[in-house]
Amino acid sequence: MRVLVTYGSKMGGTKGIAETIAETLESRGLDVQVESVKSVSGEDLEASDAVVVGGALYASRWYRPARRFVKRNKAALSERPVWLFSSGPLDDSASEREIPPVRQAQKLMDLVGARGHMTFGGRLPADAKGFPAAAMAKKQAGDWRDPAQIRTWAEKIAADLA
Ligand SMILES: Cc1cc2nc3c(=O)[nH]c(=O)nc-3n(C[C@H](O)[C@H](O)[C@H](O)COP(=O)(O)O)c2cc1C
């Protein structure tokens, strides 16, 4: 079974989560492609039996390329098991409790009949560039991605697909 793990990531944090998910699925014997939403082709999607899509959260919205990916590929995604994940809060909240999808991510889930969603903690590099990221990074830089939580969620996907 082939799984596409794709991500919309501005600063690389969501990409890292996608890679951890991909490694976990691979360790469960799945054939995995991990790829930015910007470079996934129609063939990649057609060749996959299931898809995991991740979007970075900016002002309570999914990073636009991720949002567009889901909308653009609505038909292909609706025909496959799909999971979405979001990233993510710059504190421990996502490790402490399950944070529901933002309204927009919920709409995207409904659009393609997604089986599940998870919000993972995010990362803000100390050297983040641009406005307002650079200003935020002076107070709030850090990495709240929780590898154990990410692996546990990916294990559930692997079990669901088995
Ligand atoms: C300008 C800005 C706005 C953000 N807004 C949110 C938000 O609304 N909700 C949230 O959980 N995280 C928010 N974050 C945190 C990001 O989601 C977090 O840094 C994430 O890991 C970034 O992912 P990326 O590195 O893949 O781009 C924001 C970060 C920045 C810089």
Side-chain angles (χ1 to χ4, degrees), residues 19-31:
E19 286 166 351
T20 301
I21 292 169
E23 281 162 23
T24 307
L25 296 176
E26 259 165 13
S27 76
R28 288 298 168 127
L30 292 157
D31 180 14

Side-chain angles (χ1 to χ4, degrees), residues 7-48:
Y7 54 86
S9 178
K10 198 171 179 182
M11 300 185 290
T14 310
K15 177 182 183 198
I17 295 172
E19 286 166 351
T20 301
I21 292 169
E23 281 162 23
T24 307
L25 296 176
E26 259 165 13
S27 76
R28 288 298 168 127
L30 292 157
D31 180 14
V32 184
Q33 179 186 2
V34 57
E35 192 90 45
S36 162
V37 289
K38 294 177 182 174
S39 47
V40 171
S41 68
E43 289 79 34
D44 293 331
L45 210 44
E46 286 305 320
S48 61

Side-chain angles (χ1 to χ4, degrees), residues 46-108:
E46 286 305 320
S48 61
D49 301 297
V51 185
V52 180
V53 190
L57 287 170
Y58 286 93
S60 298
R61 293 163 73 86
W62 258 31
Y63 182 47
R64 183 188 292 232
R67 204 158 80 214
R68 288 214 167 141
F69 172 85
V70 174
K71 288 188 178 167
R72 188 170 68 241
N73 294 295
K74 179 189 162 194
L77 293 171
S78 299
E79 289 168 358
R80 294 166 169 75
V82 171
W83 286 264
L84 304 190
F85 72 90
S86 304
S87 120
L90 300 174
D91 56 30
D92 287 327
S93 57
S95 293
E96 287 166 358
R97 61 177 188 276
E98 197 166 321
I99 298 178
V102 296
R103 215 163 68 101
Q104 188 187 59
Q106 180 65 57
K107 278 191 181 166
L108 295 172

Side-chain angles (χ1 to χ4, degrees), residues 90 123-128 133-144:
L90 300 174
R123 180 191 70 160
L124 183 59
D127 63 351
M136 280 172 67
K138 285 188 183 146
K139 291 184 188 165
Q140 241 182 323
D143 192 348
W144 288 270

